[in-house]
Amino acid sequence: MRLLVGFRWLVLDSLQPDPVQQQQLAARVLEHCSSTNRSSGNSSTMKLQQLLDAAFQLPDDAQLQSPGTLLRALPTGHVQLAFTGVAALAAPTAANTASAHPQLLDDRLWLSPTPSLVSNMARILAASTVQGPLLLEGPPGIGKTAVVQQVAALLGFSCERINFSANTTLEQLLGSFIPQVVAGQRVFAWQDGVLVRAVLQGKWLLLDEINLAPPEVLAAVAPLFDR
């Protein structure tokens, strides 16, 4: 299931932005896999086809206006996005609360549901499921930052937003020695940067406008994407 989620929302998204052509490409891949691996049987192929069809299902405007239809709390502790089937494991406290009070999921949804919002939420949930990084691209002001913060809140995780610019330094991100007065004496002590603090606290990292960062900062941040 994790492979299917990653294939739909991460691989296909990077290959083809048009959802219709994505679905056609997915059908061709499934047909090729079925022809080269006949031992799996027709039932497995049909089940995989059903899962893929569900992954491409997005709500219409009428469904988006119906309360309680967008999110589901699963007994496994996952929060599932309806119409796509993609789900991600919530933080333990959030999972217990959502299972006991499913309506709280919709209460936490402060963004207005739209087809594009559902698509971006699915991408973020998929990235959380496969435990990989996600790059959201687009012009300013379309809600990329807000949707990441929204999904983090739904899953019960803290999200650390770091705004990058041409002036962002490694010291701001990683840390540096700063002068302090300890017992009446001036000493230099290490202070973690915002990136290190967020990682140590297990927060989600939202690297905003990372394309504006200097090359040396990008080189330092890059190993995080391979974790």
Side-chain angles (χ1 to χ4, degrees):
M1 186 62 185
R2 289 178 63 182
L3 287 175
L4 176 63
V5 167
F7 173 66
R8 162 64 182 98
W9 291 108
L10 304 179
V11 176
L12 286 179
D13 258 11
S14 64
L15 295 176
Q16 176 56 252
D18 181 22
V20 175
Q21 295 190 30
Q22 284 182 4
Q23 193 164 10
Q24 293 173 350
L25 178 59
R28 290 200 297 270
V29 171
L30 180 60
E31 183 181 358
H32 175 72
C33 293
S34 301
S35 63
T36 56
N37 186 18
R38 298 186 181 278
S39 60
S40 61
N42 292 332
S43 60
S44 298
T45 302
M46 290 178 61
K47 183 177 180 180
L48 187 58
Q49 182 65 61
Q50 291 172 353
L51 290 173
L52 267 178
D53 290 342
F56 283 97
Q57 182 188 7
L58 292 176
D60 56 31
D61 291 338
Q63 291 170 320
L64 288 173
Q65 301 307 316
S66 301
T69 61
L70 188 60
L71 299 162
R72 305 188 188 107
L74 302 182
T76 56
H78 291 72
V79 172
Q80 186 180 50
L81 183 63
F83 310 107
T84 62
V86 62
L89 188 63
T93 302
N96 294 336
T97 302
S99 297
H101 307 283
Q103 75 279 2
L104 292 181
L105 282 176
D106 290 292
D107 293 341
R108 293 180 191 164
L109 189 65
W110 63 74
L111 297 179
S112 299
T114 63
S116 61
L117 174 70
V118 173
S119 294
N120 280 329
M121 289 179 67
R123 293 182 181 98
I124 298 167
L125 290 171
S128 178
T129 298
V130 302
Q131 299 181 0
L134 175 66
L135 177 64
L136 291 179
E137 298 179 287
I142 63 171
K144 299 185 299 297
T145 298
V147 71
V148 174
Q149 295 171 329
Q150 172 71 91
V151 175
L154 289 170
L155 295 180
F157 292 103
S158 297
C159 182
E160 185 72 40
R161 178 184 178 184
I162 303 176
N163 290 300
F164 284 80
S165 71
N167 298 319
T168 302
T169 65
L170 290 176
E171 288 76 12
Q172 293 171 338
L173 298 177
L174 305 181
S176 61
F177 287 97
I178 62 172
Q180 294 182 352
V181 176
V182 178
Q185 293 185 341
R186 185 181 294 273
V187 298
F188 285 88
W190 177 263
Q191 179 173 289
D192 290 335
V194 60
L195 182 65
V196 172
R197 290 198 302 269
V199 171
L200 292 176
Q201 294 170 9
K203 295 182 178 181
W204 278 22
L205 287 174
L206 173 53
L207 308 181
D208 214 355
E209 305 291 353
I210 192 172
N211 56 302
L212 301 179
E216 64 272 15
V217 171
L218 290 175
V221 172
L224 283 174
F225 304 141
D226 297 326
R227 293 181 73 246

